[in-house]
Amino acid sequence: MFDEQVALCARILQQKTKEYTGDDTDRPGAFKAAAALQHCTPEQALAGMLAKHIVSLYDMCFDDGLIMT
């Protein structure tokens, strides 16, 4: 089961890498671009993006109408 999960994570990361960076070898380029737009550091931009995902997870966890299968 562990090996299957690791393989699934690897496939997802490869797919997302292509979606988010294309052929750009600068993997954190999106965080650098977001930082430039927000006049902050890439780390601060990352924290903002993470906060968005955490809020979404909380919304899903506490949604009374959500059905988990």
Side-chain angles (χ1 to χ4, degrees):
M1 184 184 301
F2 176 81
D3 291 337
E4 290 174 15
Q5 187 62 47
V6 170
L8 174 63
C9 290
R11 285 193 304 272
I12 290 170
L13 286 172
Q14 289 169 348
Q15 176 186 350
K16 292 297 179 182
T17 296
K18 191 120 182 107
E19 286 178 25
Y20 286 107
T21 64
D23 294 326
D24 190 352
T25 57
D26 184 17
R27 297 296 184 228
F31 303 109
K32 294 175 184 176
L37 289 171
Q38 298 176 68
H39 305 288
C40 65
T41 67
E43 294 83 4
Q44 291 167 327
L46 168 62
M49 293 176 184
L50 176 60
K52 177 250 181 215
H53 289 290
I54 292 171
V55 169
S56 178
L57 285 170
Y58 267 80
D59 288 346
M60 288 186 277
C61 288
F62 295 102
D63 181 3
D64 292 333
L66 182 66
I67 299 171
M68 300 287 291
T69 57

